[in-house]
Amino acid sequence: MRAVTTSSDSVPDSVSVDVVLPCLDEAEALPWVLERIPPGWRALVVDNGSTDGSARIARALGARVVHEERRGFGAACHAGLTAATADIVCFCDCDASLDPADLVPFVREVVAGEADLVLGRRRPQSLGAWPLHARAGNLALTRLLRRRTGLRLHDLGPLRAARREALLALGLTDRRSGYPLEMVVHAADTGWRITEHDVPYHPRTGASKVTGTWRGTWQAVRDMSRVLAEAGTATEKGVRA
């Protein structure tokens, strides 16, 4: 396992933070990921049908385990959001490709009122961290997003932070790979201040369920493209009304 780093930033003790970790067969990665949750924050591991004992491991390591039977990244993320009770909710992949400790400055920015949604721009730390097809799909989607919203974002990665009540008010409906994009589109349409910061991105532990193959990447791009199309239609109806 790679060396860990620590953050010198802190978050006021009065602010509660839940970290939603969508999980499907991540038994190997869970110990490191949960070890990196900042002190005082709560880990919500959303088990999406694991068969490798992930839920048992997460519970033994002190995380709260939420079960979501509907398969899908969005289904897992939203189950975690609805189960959360903290002031701030963060999202992070559960495969050890991203460090939950990197969320500390994100939360500080939200708490300070400098941003409503903070996103992580993934910066690969090795050639194998982010496959070419996954990068290409992400680039195409960020360009479509820029055209749709005007946001000059570079990534639609999973590391993010926002206030729980505001996230719930967005009324997100996608339960597949389009969930992260739908969050950004709805937030932009609502007038949220959205910022983006670089974060290290490492090779994941275990096999990817989505972007590890061309087929998985294509499915994710298709889901997100549908979200953009539906959001555009909804906006046009609102203008005509």
Side-chain angles (χ1 to χ4, degrees):
M1 185 63 70
R2 60 181 177 275
V4 299
T5 58
T6 57
S7 172
S8 59
D9 292 325
S10 61
V11 174
D13 292 338
S14 58
V15 177
S16 57
V17 182
D18 284 339
V19 183
V20 174
L21 299 159
C23 176
L24 177 58
D25 293 331
E26 302 291 3
E28 186 179 353
L30 269 168
W32 185 86
V33 173
L34 294 177
E35 177 185 277
R36 299 297 296 156
I37 299 293
W41 295 15
R42 182 174 65 161
L44 297 180
V45 174
V46 185
D47 186 68
N48 203 206
S50 299
T51 58
D52 66 349
S54 288
R56 173 181 51 79
I57 292 171
R59 195 175 291 110
L61 292 172
R64 177 186 173 189
V65 175
V66 177
H67 293 278
E68 174 53 64
E69 295 182 359
R70 292 174 298 173
R71 284 294 182 92
F73 182 76
C77 286
H78 202 71
L81 174 59
T82 56
T85 58
D87 304 315
I88 307 293
V89 174
C90 301
F91 297 86
C92 181
D93 274 353
C94 203
D95 57 12
S97 62
L98 293 162
D99 188 344
D102 288 334
L103 286 162
V104 173
F106 290 29
V107 172
R108 284 179 59 86
E109 192 167 343
V110 173
V111 171
E114 299 167 358
D116 301 303
L117 175 63
V118 185
L119 308 173
R121 179 184 183 183
R122 291 168 288 184
R123 292 296 197 176
Q125 302 300 293
S126 66
L127 291 176
W130 202 355
L132 179 60
H133 53 274
R135 291 198 204 192
N138 187 73
L139 177 61
L141 287 166
T142 53
R143 287 178 174 174
L144 290 173
L145 178 67
R146 183 177 302 180
R147 193 177 307 160
R148 165 65 176 76
T149 66
L151 293 172
R152 300 186 66 82
L153 298 176
H154 301 85
D155 191 10
L156 293 170
L159 201 69
R160 48 188 64 193
R163 292 192 177 275
R164 177 180 59 86
E165 292 185 0
L167 283 170
L168 289 169
L170 291 178
L172 304 179
T173 59
D174 190 274
R175 296 296 181 264
R176 294 171 61 90
S177 301
Y179 189 86
L181 177 60
E182 184 186 25
M183 182 185 296
V184 175
V185 172
H186 284 209
D189 288 348
T190 307
W192 286 23
R193 294 159 299 170
I194 302 173
T195 58
E196 180 183 69
H197 301 296
D198 290 354
V199 293
Y201 191 53
H202 302 272
R204 64 159 290 136
T205 298
S208 174
K209 285 78 176 177
V210 179
T211 56
T213 65
W214 279 99
R215 180 178 180 182
T217 297
W218 168 244
Q219 179 64 61
V221 170
R222 187 172 65 178
D223 287 347
M224 293 189 183
S225 297
R226 173 179 48 77
V227 166
L228 282 173
E230 291 175 353
T233 300
T235 299
E236 291 175 3
K237 288 181 179 178
V239 171
R240 287 197 297 268

